[in-house]
Amino acid sequence: MSDLSDPTAQPAAPAAPAAPALPVPAAPQAPGEILLDARNVKKYFPIMGGLLRHQIGKVYAVDDVSLQIYRGEKFGLVGESGCGKTTFGRTILRLEKATDGTVSMDGQDVLALQGNDLKKMRRRMQIIFQDPYGSLNPRMPISDIIGEGLLAQGDKANGWGKRSIRDSRVGDYLEAVGLRRDYSRRYPHEFSGGQRQRIGIARALALDPEFIVCDEPVSALDVSIQSQILNLLSDLRAQFNLTYLFIAHNLSVVQYFCDRIGVMYLGKLVEIAPVDILYANPQHPYSVALLSAIPVPDPRVRKRRLVLKGDVPSPANPPTGCRFHTRCWLRDRLGNPAECSTTEPLLKTVGADHQVACHFADQVTAQAVQESAASQSVIDTAVATD
């Protein structure tokens, strides 16, 4: 297996042709224009059992999620593993069949499209997968991996059905992501992880999409390579006027890369806000706990973390009322009000472009957070002493 370094260490790429074949990016649209509008999206997976394999329950992976993504925006979606982030991204792309809800792209209902209309819509919506190793077919050369979508979408108008046109376009997009054109003749096992992810990005770009779901595109990469991929995605967004739904676990990465953030817990959106507002003033107890877990790269700084009690409930049997109430530090501090366990909170506006689903969001103050963290420290110390 070849031990290729990352693109920055490769010999300089050949000079680009005078008239590149890449499409000219469209002029930026007016700010605030909604590109994708998801309303009450639900995705339930059946639980089968018994001798006859009949349905005995449901996994509520995505349960009534609504959000809007503006054209040209980098929207981040964060939450614990199993909260439904990836399932939501796959559902709005029609990679999973939605149980209910609507997803509109420029006013066109994506979930209702069929046949040729759906095929045309797939050109506009693409995905970058999390695993740069598992997402590439090891038996296919890079030219066929990137060109597969072009072949499927080819017609007389674009000429993508011709091998020469596809190969030329594949080379153009390899250069766009920082790789050499002659890499198209190689196989996935000949590349490093960072290079494979660049190939995955080139595959997503090949059909000139407007909207791309980035499903944890840097979580499997080294830290030094993560920054390269994030900067590449930012450059490509400006070059091709792209819109991203960026799914991630690393809150520091999301803070650096995204414009707005949605926080998910157990299939529900619990908070949506611009990145600077959310990190400076989170209003949901779950968001506060997530942000308290971000490590501080300074050993002199002592940071108290809010450790959530218990385990995440099963998505097959979510709690009634607020789904976070079984682990909520704020509920404990307020004396366990019954409203948390009986009434489901809806997203409500608490500031400019800031929404939160919590009955007592106004009680989430810096003093309350400090007191809760301090009380946890006292309990932990007593347990350790015993």
Side-chain angles (χ1 to χ4, degrees), residues 93-277:
L93 293 181
R94 291 286 296 268
L95 297 180
E96 299 282 357
K97 184 178 180 181
T99 303
D100 198 6
T102 61
V103 177
S104 298
M105 181 91 162
D106 281 339
Q108 191 174 15
D109 189 358
V110 176
L111 302 185
L113 296 178
Q114 300 293 334
N116 288 331
D117 292 335
L118 177 59
K119 183 177 180 180
K120 292 179 181 178
M121 179 58 71
R122 292 199 184 280
R123 298 185 189 181
R124 304 176 61 190
M125 309 171 73
Q126 290 292 308
I127 184 170
I128 301 170
F129 295 99
Q130 174 181 358
D131 186 1
Y133 296 89
S135 62
L136 303 180
N137 190 332
R139 297 179 179 271
M140 296 174 64
I142 301 306
S143 59
D144 289 348
I145 290 175
I146 299 177
E148 192 172 20
L150 298 171
L151 181 60
Q153 295 280 352
D155 54 36
K156 292 183 178 179
N158 54 44
W160 293 345
K162 295 182 179 180
R163 181 75 191 206
S164 59
I165 295 179
R166 290 202 308 276
D167 287 348
S168 175
R169 191 176 180 86
V170 167
D172 292 335
Y173 280 101
L174 283 175
E175 288 187 340
V177 298
L179 298 176
R180 287 164 35 182
R181 300 179 74 92
D182 60 358
Y183 284 0
S184 63
R185 298 190 295 270
R186 301 186 182 184
Y187 286 81
H189 72 271
E190 300 180 73
F191 295 92
S192 67
Q195 289 174 321
R196 292 189 193 193
Q197 195 60 290
R198 289 172 185 263
I199 292 169
I201 296 172
R203 176 176 57 185
L205 292 175
L207 293 174
D208 296 334
E210 301 173 48
F211 175 71
I212 297 180
V213 174
C214 303
D215 184 13
E216 302 189 43
V218 298
S219 63
L221 305 177
D222 295 336
V223 175
S224 60
I225 308 303
Q226 288 183 16
S227 61
Q228 296 179 19
I229 297 299
L230 292 174
N231 292 334
L232 173 64
L233 289 172
S234 293
D235 294 341
L236 292 173
R237 184 195 68 139
Q239 182 179 357
F240 298 109
N241 194 29
L242 299 172
T243 303
Y244 293 137
L245 172 61
F246 190 86
I247 299 170
H249 282 109
N250 191 324
L251 296 175
S252 298
V253 167
V254 174
Q255 182 181 19
Y256 168 77
F257 184 76
C258 296
D259 303 317
R260 282 195 305 147
I261 298 177
V263 182
M264 284 191 72
Y265 181 79
L266 211 61
K268 293 277 190 180
L269 269 175
V270 298
E271 189 163 10
I272 303 175
V275 61
D276 53 343
I277 294 178

